[in-house]
């Protein structure tokens, strides 16, 4: 998978570089011109005119500025997208008031039971939070299906591929009037009009890809309507109304509901089948700020191998200004795991989400001939094979075509490597690795060759159930495959069958970190621990668009689909954030993030520490603070606050100069400056709910001390918290003071955490992780840390 991402990154880089190459910089392409915050007391019309005047300074005589400007940003921040030559873009970079100019990138989407599992999986739910929930909502607010619950007037915006408004997940039955503060619109477009919105789906915008790619290159996009499915799935996961009897053709049956089912939904279609233009992403952020959303869910991002600087990253730019306006921005961490340092959307003002499994599996077994017991497998298929093992069984290696010399490729059933005559009417056992041709393509090739089924040997991806519809395909571990091969070798006529998928609940262990979930540390911000938190992202049932691909015997497309990715994890946390916001409407995005992180859990349903799906112990680089616990986040006790000023000083330490930062910020004191000793090492002092320290052995005295401040938001104004430290061998951690005493007049207190380890820490390879937990006997406020030497 990493190799595929690297190839994609190279192709994108080559296309961007080639757009202005070999033509003296005269060939045009779309560039984004970012100009930071909207200047104070500037009217929108004057701002738009200033954009046109600026671009006019680099155009040829007689060329109209409005003929090249495609989009303008005027609400959350200032800037525009324009079709320019390479030389014109370079000239604009030198103009006063311009923060950055960058080629318009194309980002990719990060492609019921999950919410029930989040409630069940919390090993310890604070009793006070439970009592408070009972008093306020007469039930569990994070899984409530009633629009009369506490979350009635929170608004979740999604930057995604659009929405299918007819889905029952977006029914507005029982909803009251749209909040008066809502300023958004329901745009008309292809097969979409103002009546497509209602009191649940209160806003829908789209950003036509024709504007930036040209009609010949665009896949359309002239409507908020979803023709991909992704946006419908994520929005129903975050805030879908409860739909009883939901399933995927009978699999995963139950009630499908969003995490904040009483929230309103606003869709900003910034993506099409070909991707998500950066200029459209920025437009979505800009409009969402003006419209009045409370939370933004963004399940898309750049490749980890083609990562932009913050000032040239549309998601980092848009989210910075959204957070400055009080909007919590939740983003997916990416699907480039399990390789280290692949996490994206890692700016500290973003709540970054990894993906985990839930306690549901889809079992599709291999039944062998003779007296052999069934071999457990997993996949989503609607096999119509006979239940008795009567179908001839062959390995890919044994079915190799005589014209193929590569036996390894044949054993993996790579297209074109097998003899059609040898697989006709048989079940084929195929090895599979992450770098192979996709399993679906292999299955289609086998089906067209006349095979009646296939078995993939696939350790890495087994936790994610692949959908094969009618073709009887399943996946087994290497250990299970050894039993199948032993049986094949034991008889001259091996036979088998494959059973159709069956839903298994209360599967253990769960949660585990999904193999595809991108891992930390962040290559950009090593001293900010990313990802922040994990949430269900594997085989998630949620609403989908109609499709013509149906299992045999089905006449109507399912309204729901099982999909995996950090894209699915992100809206789980967005829903939780909306619930926290509804209960605490004055809380900042940083306080909401802190509540979600410090109350996260680290144990699975065996009451054991969480693992990855390879079985290795999970670390903060895998899941951040742990698995989100929506109910616990309603009453965190203490929160770590941070605001725009904190993020600006982060940018100082990141390496930006004060003049650039003054353009980015909305309002700064005239005397704002970056400290003379600003450095990446000082990023560890950002008041974040987690702690990351790099280069411990290089610090003076071999140690490092960081400062944090916590604010009491609990019901008891007078409260005493004591600290408990969990640290690995070889690392000494000391917290000063070890007791925090809050009063009516003292809401915020600071503490220092000192890390040292001498020669032992310097010699220890890899990262050392642990936690610092403050408790008053009711609340457990846990902060993970990771230290590298």
């Amino acid at each position: 998978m990493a190799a595929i991402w690297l190839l994609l990154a190279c192709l994108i880089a080559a296309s961007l570089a080639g757009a202005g190459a070999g033509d003296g910089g005269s060939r045009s392409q779309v560039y984004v011109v970012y100009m930071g915050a909207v200047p104070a007391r500037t009217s929108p019309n004057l701002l738009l005119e200033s954009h046109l005047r600026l671009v006019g300074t680099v155009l040829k005589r007689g060329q109209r500025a409005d003929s090249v400007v495609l989009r303008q940003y005027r609400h959350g921040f200032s800037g525009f997208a324009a079709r320019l030559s390479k030389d014109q873009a370079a000239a604009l970079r030198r103009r006063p008031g311009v923060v950055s100019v960058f080629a318009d990138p194309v980002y990719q989407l990060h492609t019921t039971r999950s919410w029930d599992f989040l409630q069940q999986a919390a090993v310890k739910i604070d009793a006070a939070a439970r009592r408070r929930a009972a008093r306020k909502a007469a039930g569990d607010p994070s899984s409530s299906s009633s629009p009369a619950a506490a979350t009635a007037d929170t608004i979740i915006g999604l930057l995604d591929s659009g929405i299918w408004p007819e889905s029952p997940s977006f029914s507005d039955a029982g909803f009251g009037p749209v909040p008066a503060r809502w300023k958004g619109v329901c745009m008309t477009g292809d097969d979409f009009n103002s009546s497509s919105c209602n009191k649940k789906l209160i806003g829908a915008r789209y950003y036509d890809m024709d504007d930036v790619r040209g009609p010949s290159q665009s896949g359309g996009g002239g409507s908020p309507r979803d023709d991909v499915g992704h946006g419908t799935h994520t929005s129903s996961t975050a805030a879908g109304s409860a739909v009883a009897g939901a399933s995927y053709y009978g699999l995963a049956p139950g009630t499908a509901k969003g995490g904040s089912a009483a929230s309103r939904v606003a869709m900003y279609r910034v993506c099409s089948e070909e991707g998500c233009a950066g200029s459209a992403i920025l437009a979505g952020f800009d409009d969402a700020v003006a419209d009045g959303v409370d939370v933004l869910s963004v399940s898309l991002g750049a490749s980890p191998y083609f990562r932009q600087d913050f000032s040239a990253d549309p998601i980092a730019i848009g989210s910075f200004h959204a957070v400055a306006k009080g909007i919590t921005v939740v983003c997916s961490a990416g699907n480039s795991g399990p390789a280290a340092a692949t996490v994206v959307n890692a700016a500290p003002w973003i709540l970054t989400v990894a993906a985990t499994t839930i306690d549901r599996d889809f079992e599709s077994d291999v039944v062998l001939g003779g007296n052999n017991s069934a071999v457990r497998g997993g996949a989503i298929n609607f096999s119509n094979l006979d239940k008795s093992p009567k179908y001839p069984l062959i390995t890919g290696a044994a079915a190799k075509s005589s014209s193929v010399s590569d036996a390894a490729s044949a054993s993996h059933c790579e297209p074109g490597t097998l003899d059609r005559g040898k697989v006709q009417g048989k079940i084929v056992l195929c090895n599979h690795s992450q770098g192979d041709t996709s399993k679906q393509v292999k299955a289609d090739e086998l089906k067209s060759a006349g095979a009646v089924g296939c078995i993939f040997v696939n350790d890495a991806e087994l936790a994610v159930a692949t959908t094969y519809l009618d073709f009887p395909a399943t996946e087994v571990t290497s250990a299970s495959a050894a039993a199948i091969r032993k049986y094949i070798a034991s008889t001259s006529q091996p036979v088998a069958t494959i059973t159709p998928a069956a839903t298994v609940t209360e599967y253990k262990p769960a949660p585990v970190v999904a193999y595809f979930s991108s891992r930390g540390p962040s290559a950009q911000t090593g001293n900010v621990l990313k990802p922040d938190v994990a949430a269900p992202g594997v085989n998630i049932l949620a609403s989908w668009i109609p499709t013509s691909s149906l299992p045999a015997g089905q006449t109507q497309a399912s309204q729901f689909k099982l999909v995996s990715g950090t894209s699915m994890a992100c809206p789980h946390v967005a829903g939780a954030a909306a619930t926290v916001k509804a209960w605490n409407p004055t809380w900042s995005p940083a306080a909401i993030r802190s509540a979600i992180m410090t109350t996260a859990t680290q144990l699975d349903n065996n009451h054991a520490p969480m693992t990855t799906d390879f079985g290795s112990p999970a670390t903060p680089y895998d899941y951040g603070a742990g698995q989100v616990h929506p109910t616990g986040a309603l009453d965190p006790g203490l929160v770590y606050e941070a605001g725009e000023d904190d993020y600006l000083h982060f940018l100082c330490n990141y390496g930006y100069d004060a003049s650039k930062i003054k353009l980015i910020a909305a309002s700064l004191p005239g005397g704002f400056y970056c400290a003379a000793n600003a450095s990446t090492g000082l990023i560890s002092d950002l008041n974040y709910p987690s702690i990351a320290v790099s280069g411990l052995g290089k610090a003076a005295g071999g140690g490092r001390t960081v400062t944090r401040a916590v604010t009491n938001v609990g019901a008891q104004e007078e409260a005493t918290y004591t600290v408990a430290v969990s640290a690995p061998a070889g690392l000494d951690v000391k917290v000063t003071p070890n007791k925090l005493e809050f009063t009516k007049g003292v809401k915020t207190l600071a503490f220092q955490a000192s890390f040292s380890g001498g020669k032992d820490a310097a010699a220890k390879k890899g990262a050392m992780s642990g936690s610092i937990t403050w408790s008053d006997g009711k609340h457990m406020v846990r902060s993970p840390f990771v230290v590298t030497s």
Side-chain angles (χ1 to χ4, degrees):
M1 182 173 289
I4 294 172
W5 271 113
L6 185 57
L7 175 60
L8 177 62
C10 292
L11 291 173
I12 294 172
S15 67
L16 292 177
D23 53 10
S26 61
R27 182 178 174 185
S28 67
Q29 68 177 106
V30 178
Y31 286 87
V32 173
V33 180
Y34 170 50
M35 304 178 69
V38 175
R41 295 179 296 279
T42 300
S43 73
N45 288 338
L46 285 176
L47 188 65
L48 298 182
E49 289 176 11
S50 72
H51 294 162
L52 296 176
R53 285 196 301 271
L54 176 64
V55 77
T57 65
V58 301
L59 299 180
K60 295 177 181 178
R61 185 182 299 274
Q63 189 175 9
R64 291 174 54 89
D66 58 7
S67 70
V68 299
V69 173
L70 306 175
R71 308 192 198 281
Q72 292 182 268
Y73 315 118
R74 57 177 176 165
H75 304 298
F77 47 91
S78 174
F80 56 90
R83 194 171 295 280
L84 304 166
S85 70
K86 186 177 181 181
D87 291 342
Q88 290 168 336
L92 283 175
R93 286 191 187 95
R94 298 189 291 269
R95 294 292 192 267
V98 173
V99 176
S100 59
V101 178
F102 52 93
D104 191 11
V106 177
Y107 286 2
Q108 299 299 320
L109 295 163
H110 287 153
T111 290
T112 155
R113 177 72 184 168
S114 57
W115 283 103
D116 294 337
F117 174 63
L118 283 178
Q119 300 309 319
Q120 296 166 7
V123 176
K124 183 179 185 299
I125 299 177
D126 187 272
R130 191 187 295 117
R131 288 195 299 272
R132 186 180 173 200
R135 288 196 304 269
K136 292 194 70 171
D140 181 357
S142 64
S143 61
S144 172
S145 61
S146 168
T151 54
D153 283 336
T154 52
I155 302 166
I156 301 177
L158 298 101
L159 273 59
D160 217 297
S161 66
I163 196 164
W164 196 264
E166 293 82 8
S167 166
S169 294
F170 309 120
S171 167
D172 65 354
F175 276 80
V178 173
R181 62 188 174 86
W182 176 245
K183 306 301 181 186
V185 299
C186 191
M187 292 178 66
T188 60
D190 298 340
D191 197 24
F192 202 101
N193 53 49
S194 58
S195 64
S196 298
C197 294
N198 56 24
K199 290 179 286 186
K200 174 69 172 181
L201 174 60
I202 63 173
R205 295 180 184 267
Y206 69 94
Y207 307 90
D208 200 333
M209 288 289 284
D210 288 352
D211 292 342
V212 294
R213 293 286 173 260
S216 64
Q217 301 178 54
S218 173
S223 170
R225 184 171 291 279
D226 188 4
D227 57 12
V228 177
H230 189 277
T232 300
H233 198 280
T234 56
S235 52
S236 60
T237 300
S241 298
V243 181
S247 73
Y248 181 63
Y249 301 111
L251 292 176
T255 297
K257 57 182 178 290
S260 184
S263 287
R264 321 286 180 143
V265 173
M267 174 55 66
Y268 300 83
R269 179 177 173 168
V270 301
C271 303
S272 68
E273 288 182 339
E274 65 180 17
C276 318
S279 56
I281 294 168
L282 284 168
F285 273 113
D286 194 43
D287 285 333
V289 168
D291 291 347
V293 304
D294 298 300
V295 175
L296 274 170
S297 181
V298 184
S299 290
L300 55 97
S303 161
Y305 307 106
F306 191 65
R307 190 182 289 109
Q308 300 275 26
D309 184 74
F310 291 131
S311 64
D313 176 1
I315 294 177
I317 293 169
S319 60
F320 177 90
H321 293 286
V323 169
K325 298 291 186 180
I327 300 168
T328 299
V329 180
V330 185
C331 293
S332 48
N335 296 343
S336 298
T342 51
V343 63
V344 297
N345 298 326
W349 46 86
I350 292 173
L351 179 48
T352 311
V353 187
T356 54
T357 65
I358 64 172
D359 65 338
R360 180 176 61 205
D361 192 30
F362 298 98
E363 187 171 346
S364 173
D365 295 340
V366 179
V367 182
L368 303 174
N371 296 320
N372 294 282
S373 58
V375 175
R376 184 185 177 96
I380 297 171
N381 74 67
F382 301 95
S383 168
N384 59 0
L385 296 182
D386 195 293
K387 294 181 180 180
S388 300
K390 67 178 190 179
Y391 304 94
L393 179 62
I394 191 172
T395 66
K400 183 177 75 70
S401 170
S402 59
S403 63
V404 174
S405 59
D406 186 359
S409 293
S411 72
H412 284 244
C413 301
E414 287 290 341
T417 64
L418 303 184
D419 185 326
R420 298 174 68 93
K422 292 180 180 179
V423 302
Q424 180 86 30
K426 297 177 182 177
I427 294 173
V428 187
L429 178 66
C430 308
N431 294 329
H432 186 78
S433 302
Q434 280 186 279
D436 287 3
T437 301
S438 77
K439 290 171 289 186
Q440 289 92 336
V441 170
K442 290 182 182 181
D444 288 344
E445 181 90 356
L446 287 165
K447 183 178 181 180
S448 67
V452 298
C454 68
I455 306 163
F456 290 115
V457 184
N458 180 27
D459 289 315
E461 303 171 5
L462 196 60
V464 179
T466 303
T467 300
Y468 299 100
L469 291 180
D470 289 338
F471 189 60
T474 191
E475 302 175 30
V476 300
T477 64
S478 295
S480 296
I484 297 174
R485 289 193 177 95
K486 182 178 179 181
Y487 163 67
I488 292 174
S490 71
T491 178
S492 60
Q493 294 183 319
V495 290
T497 192
I498 296 172
T499 64
T503 305
V504 177
T505 58
E506 299 184 9
Y507 182 82
K508 294 182 178 182
V512 301
V513 180
Y515 75 90
F516 59 76
S517 186
S518 290
R519 299 326 206 251
S522 165
Q524 285 178 295
T525 56
N527 285 326
V528 175
L529 179 56
K530 291 286 181 172
D532 291 312
V533 74
V538 176
N539 303 328
I540 302 303
L541 183 75
S543 290
W544 198 253
I545 63 175
T547 176
S548 58
S549 299
L550 308 180
Q554 297 289 339
T555 59
Q556 186 173 357
S558 174
Q559 294 179 305
F560 298 87
K561 189 174 181 179
L562 292 155
V563 187
S564 300
T566 53
S567 276
M568 286 63 246
C570 173
H572 277 88
V573 176
T579 304
V580 176
K581 175 72 173 180
W583 283 43
N584 305 279
T586 63
W587 280 15
S588 69
I592 292 171
R593 174 183 60 203
S594 177
I596 290 171
M597 290 178 64
T598 60
T599 58
T601 61
Q602 301 79 41
L603 300 181
D604 63 23
N605 54 5
N606 283 326
H607 295 264
M610 283 174 59
T611 66
T612 70
D613 58 8
F614 296 103
S616 59
T619 75
Y621 284 156
D622 299 317
Y623 61 26
Q627 177 91 338
V628 63
H629 174 9
T631 305
L634 298 176
D635 185 20
L638 307 177
V639 296
Y640 292 82
E641 276 285 12
E644 185 178 17
D645 188 61
D646 297 281
Y647 300 133
L648 296 178
H649 283 287
F650 159 82
L651 292 175
C652 286
N653 290 320
Y654 182 73
Y656 287 9
D657 59 41
S659 60
K660 188 172 187 176
I661 292 173
K662 287 177 181 178
L663 291 174
I664 294 172
S667 58
L668 279 177
F672 177 85
Y673 66 94
C674 290
N677 66 339
S679 68
T680 56
L682 293 179
I683 289 175
S684 297
D685 282 316
L686 177 67
N687 201 43
Y688 213 73
S690 58
I691 299 172
V693 175
S694 60
L696 181 65
K698 298 177 182 178
R704 176 75 168 90
T705 298
V706 302
T707 302
R708 291 290 187 274
V710 286
T711 300
N712 182 18
V713 294
Q716 299 299 319
E717 292 182 311
E718 296 188 357
T720 299
Y721 283 78
T722 56
V723 73
V725 175
S726 173
L731 181 67
D732 295 325
V733 183
K734 183 179 181 180
V735 177
T736 307
N738 61 9
K739 181 183 293 186
L740 299 175
E741 296 183 301
F742 297 92
T743 66
K744 291 183 179 180
V746 179
K747 300 288 187 183
T748 301
L749 291 170
F751 67 90
Q752 291 186 321
S754 299
F755 301 89
S756 61
K759 295 180 180 179
D760 290 340
K764 189 166 184 176
K765 296 181 180 180
M768 296 173 284
S769 61
S771 63
I772 295 171
T773 303
W774 292 97
S775 177
D776 64 349
K778 297 179 180 179
H779 305 93
M780 303 288 286
V781 187
R782 181 183 181 275
S783 293
F785 63 75
V786 176
V787 177
T788 58
S789 58

